[in-house]
């Protein structure tokens, strides 16, 4: 979701500070992958990163539409969050209360445009099985202590099938230039229990998409990443979110470029400048 608009802050997820026992220590370096494992990891990162972005974009545009079309939404204290669901080539964004029950629904196309009028339910509606599962996963994720790098967080819930979910916790920012990669987390949930969790960085690193002091457009953001042998879905998501290519260095001879959601390995002798 766009972190530049205060109107969305009431819907943001607050994440408490880290407890050491809750997060496993990150490995110093990633284990090398075979050629087939590398190809699978890249495909997974691209698919998940784009999915996170599209669900997040749908929530952003749905919130903007509700504020524009239904003035009472901004002050509706019943709203506790939202659930996004991909269906029939579009995304349904359902805003829920503490019950949980659905208060509003908005249909959003993949390009972010609104499909039809926003739906204001006169009586809160029961959640569908999908919405109930996603809401339960989100609620469980909110109870977990993670290393927090922002005062506010957004959440994106993706289905994995068979009552499995992945909940992504994404740092919020009000800066027009900051890209808050640091502090991004994923929680995997199955059968109502957290089965795995990970952070995507070891620090609260923020990238910058601002123009240089000379006014030239940023060609690419750059980050060194030693937790994985390849870029992750978090890198793909933040590159799409920032609408800026990202160079990810995962080793001395492993330099990757992400552009428009696609990852390619750069030539080993490419001039990469200074990594962060």
């Amino acid at each position: 979701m766009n972190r530049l608009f205060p109107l969305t802050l009431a819907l943001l997820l607050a994440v408490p500070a880290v407890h050491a026992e809750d997060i496993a220590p990150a490995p110093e370096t990633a284990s090398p992958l075979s050629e087939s494992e590398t190809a699978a990891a890249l495909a997974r990162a691209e698919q998940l990163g784009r999915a996170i972005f599209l669900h997040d974009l749908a929530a952003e545009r749905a919130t903007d539409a509700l504020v524009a079309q239904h003035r009472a939404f901004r002050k509706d204290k019943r709203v506790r969050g939202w659930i996004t669901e991909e269906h029939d080539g579009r995304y349904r964004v359902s805003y829920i209360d503490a019950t949980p029950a659905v208060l509003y629904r908005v249909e959003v196309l993949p390009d972010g445009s609104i499909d039809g009028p926003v739906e204001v339910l006169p009586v809160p509606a029961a959640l569908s099985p999908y919405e109930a599962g996603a809401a339960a996963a989100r609620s469980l994720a909110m109870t977990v202590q993670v290393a927090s790098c922002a005062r506010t967080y957004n959440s994106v819930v993706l289905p994995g099938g068979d009552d499995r979910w992945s909940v992504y916790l994404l740092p919020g920012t009000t800066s027009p230039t900051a890209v808050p990669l640091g502090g991004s987390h994923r929680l995997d949930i199955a059968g109502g229990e957290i089965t795995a969790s990970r952070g995507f960085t070891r620090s609260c690193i923020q990238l910058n998409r601002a123009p240089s002091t000379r006014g030239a457009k940023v060609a690419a953001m750059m980050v060194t990443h030693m937790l994985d042998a390849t870029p992750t879905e978090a890198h793909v998501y933040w590159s799409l979110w920032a609408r800026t290519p990202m160079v990810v260095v995962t080793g001395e001879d492993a330099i990757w470029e992400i552009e428009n959601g696609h990852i390619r390995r750069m030539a080993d002798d490419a001039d990469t400048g200074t990594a962060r």
Side-chain angles (χ1 to χ4, degrees):
M1 178 172 284
N2 194 316
R3 278 95 178 148
L4 307 183
F5 297 98
L7 62 88
T8 67
L9 295 185
L11 302 178
L12 292 177
L13 167 63
V15 176
V18 64
H19 284 193
E21 66 270 22
D22 292 319
I23 302 297
E28 290 299 319
T29 58
S31 300
L33 301 179
S34 67
E35 185 174 339
S36 62
E37 289 172 332
T38 296
L42 295 177
R44 174 180 169 82
E46 290 181 350
Q47 185 269 322
L48 289 175
R50 183 169 294 278
I52 299 166
F53 173 74
L54 290 174
H55 281 257
D56 193 42
L57 176 66
E60 173 200 334
R61 298 299 173 82
T63 300
D64 291 345
L66 272 168
V67 169
Q69 299 181 34
H70 187 65
R71 296 180 60 184
F73 173 74
R74 186 190 292 267
K75 297 181 179 181
D76 192 341
K77 296 181 180 180
R78 300 174 300 165
V79 177
R80 292 292 182 268
W82 61 83
I83 296 298
T84 54
E85 179 182 3
E86 183 181 6
H87 73 101
D88 302 322
R90 55 179 55 80
Y91 295 84
R92 176 178 296 128
V93 185
S94 302
Y95 294 82
I96 60 177
D97 63 15
T99 307
V102 180
L103 303 171
Y104 307 92
R105 281 198 176 102
V106 184
E107 298 284 340
V108 184
L109 297 176
D111 64 1
S113 60
I114 304 301
D115 186 26
V118 300
E119 183 181 2
V120 180
L121 281 66
V123 177
L127 274 61
S128 69
Y130 178 97
E131 292 167 340
R138 179 183 182 274
S139 179
L140 179 58
M142 290 174 63
T143 69
V144 177
Q145 305 288 330
V146 298
S148 177
C149 290
R151 295 183 62 184
T152 55
Y153 268 69
N154 284 323
S155 63
V156 171
V157 183
L158 298 183
D162 297 325
D163 196 27
R164 293 181 294 109
W165 306 87
S166 291
V167 181
Y168 289 88
L169 305 180
L170 307 168
T173 182
T174 57
S175 168
T177 60
V179 181
L181 170 65
S184 301
H185 294 271
R186 185 186 75 221
L187 302 172
D188 295 330
I189 296 171
E193 296 183 354
I194 295 173
T195 57
S197 66
R198 71 159 297 174
F200 290 97
T201 64
R202 284 199 292 248
S203 70
C204 292
I205 184 172
Q206 285 199 358
L207 306 183
N208 198 317
R209 60 177 173 181
S212 70
T213 55
R214 297 182 180 181
K217 182 180 178 181
V218 171
M221 304 175 290
M222 182 173 289
V223 65
T224 297
H225 179 77
M226 305 306 292
L227 300 181
D228 301 271
T230 59
T232 68
E233 64 262 37
H235 297 106
V236 174
Y237 164 76
W238 284 112
S239 175
L240 287 168
W241 180 85
R243 294 173 172 79
T244 305
M246 182 184 295
V247 174
V248 182
V249 180
T250 61
E252 185 175 347
D253 60 349
I255 304 169
W256 314 82
E257 182 184 39
I258 304 171
E259 187 170 11
N260 296 323
H262 300 291
I263 307 170
R264 71 175 184 90
R265 187 163 185 167
M266 302 176 68
D268 292 345
D269 60 351
D271 181 9
T272 60
T274 302
R276 293 184 61 186

